[in-house]
Each structure stands twice: as C-alpha cells, then as structure tokens.
Amino acid sequence: MNRDLWTVGRKDGSAVGRAGRPAGADRRRRTGGFTLLELLVVVTIIGLLAAYVGPKYFSQLGKSEQGVAKAQIEAFARALDTYRLDVGFYPTTEEGLNALLTRPATAAKWNGPYLQKAVPLDPWGRAYVYRAPGANGDFDISSYGKDGQPGGTGDAADVSNQ
C-alpha cells in the first residue's frame, strides 16, 4: 500500500485524496455567495423597478399635498360659517383667518375661538389667502400651490373653496 499523503488507501483498495474525495477529483471548492454576474442582474432588476415605481409614487405625493390643502380650506370654511352665525358677518380681509382665534374689535358677539389650533400654513409652507367679500361668494380662501403664484396646473394648481 502506498502511504503517500495524497493517495492513502482505503480498506477496499481504492485511493482517496486528502479531503476524503476520490483521488483526481476536482479540488476546487464552491464557496457560499453570489457571482458578480448574479449581483449585476439583481441590481439591474431593482433599478428597473425603481424607475417604474418612483415616478408613480412621487406624482401621488403632489396629489396628497393638494388634498391636505383642500381639507384645511374646507375646515376654515366651516369655522367661518360658525363665526358668521355668532357674529352676523364674516371677518374682513384685514382681520383675516386670525379672527377665528382672537376676537376682533368689530365682533361684539364673538364666541370663539373657532379653531382648536393656530391657523396652519398650506402644505407648501405659505399662508392661505383670505378675501372677504370674495370674487365668487361671501369669502375666498385659497392656496397658490407648489409654485406660490396664481394660476398653474398640476402640482402648481391653485386650491380654493370655490
């Protein structure tokens, strides 16, 4: 029997290698992990999904900001209607929406505050525009949208109570 390090014999007479594999077998070991090609395929798939989903997600974000502005304007309109029921008229443009929180000098029957918190800014960080009398009714409340300018479309569209 040959007692060489590489070819130690078994009882059945066959030769085996150092790791217990048959002599001459492929000695390369497959390690756990991924090849570079597999990683590139996965990164490409993730990139394609992000390119498809990203724009849809961010367009929804603009719609939600406009939804928040519309909801706040509707809450102001309800508070202004309650103010009018108590006082008899809507606050002037100069008194503004702050008349819902602090008693104006012209409101003898003021029974507020009509809002639970301070008048918030619109979702884009600007003050709401209040006018009384309004162009199309007793008052107008509006936000000029993302661009802060009158008019516009999409995310820059105006949001108002009209």
Side-chain angles (χ1 to χ4, degrees):
M1 235 191 209
N2 183 0
R3 295 281 179 194
D4 187 327
L5 183 63
W6 293 101
T7 56
V8 177
R10 292 184 171 173
K11 288 182 184 177
D12 65 357
S14 63
V16 294
R18 187 188 291 181
R21 294 188 208 105
D26 185 22
R27 287 188 168 83
R28 286 185 299 160
R29 235 182 331 153
R30 179 156 171 94
T31 59
F34 300 104
T35 65
L36 180 61
L37 182 62
E38 290 169 332
L39 290 174
L40 288 174
V41 168
V42 170
V43 167
T44 302
I45 290 171
I46 291 172
L48 289 172
L49 286 173
Y52 178 73
V53 173
K56 292 183 182 293
Y57 172 75
F58 287 114
S59 70
Q60 293 298 322
L61 185 63
K63 290 179 185 175
S64 68
E65 288 173 333
Q66 288 183 334
V68 167
K70 187 71 174 168
Q72 287 178 335
I73 287 172
E74 288 172 0
F76 295 149
R78 284 191 300 273
L80 286 165
D81 288 338
T82 305
Y83 176 98
R84 184 181 151 276
L85 288 173
D86 289 348
V87 177
F89 52 87
Y90 290 106
T92 64
T93 301
E94 293 77 28
E95 293 168 341
L97 295 173
N98 287 328
L100 299 172
L101 293 170
T102 57
R103 180 184 189 145
T106 59
K109 296 180 182 178
W110 190 83
N111 194 24
Y114 298 94
L115 295 175
Q116 294 176 354
K117 299 178 183 176
V119 177
L121 298 175
D122 69 8
W124 300 278
R126 296 180 194 87
Y128 285 97
V129 178
Y130 172 77
R131 290 185 190 93
N136 299 317
D138 294 325
F139 61 88
D140 289 338
I141 307 171
S142 59
S143 168
Y144 291 141
K146 188 175 184 177
D147 65 352
Q149 302 297 319
T153 59
D155 290 347
D158 296 349
V159 181
S160 71
N161 63 320
Q162 300 302 320

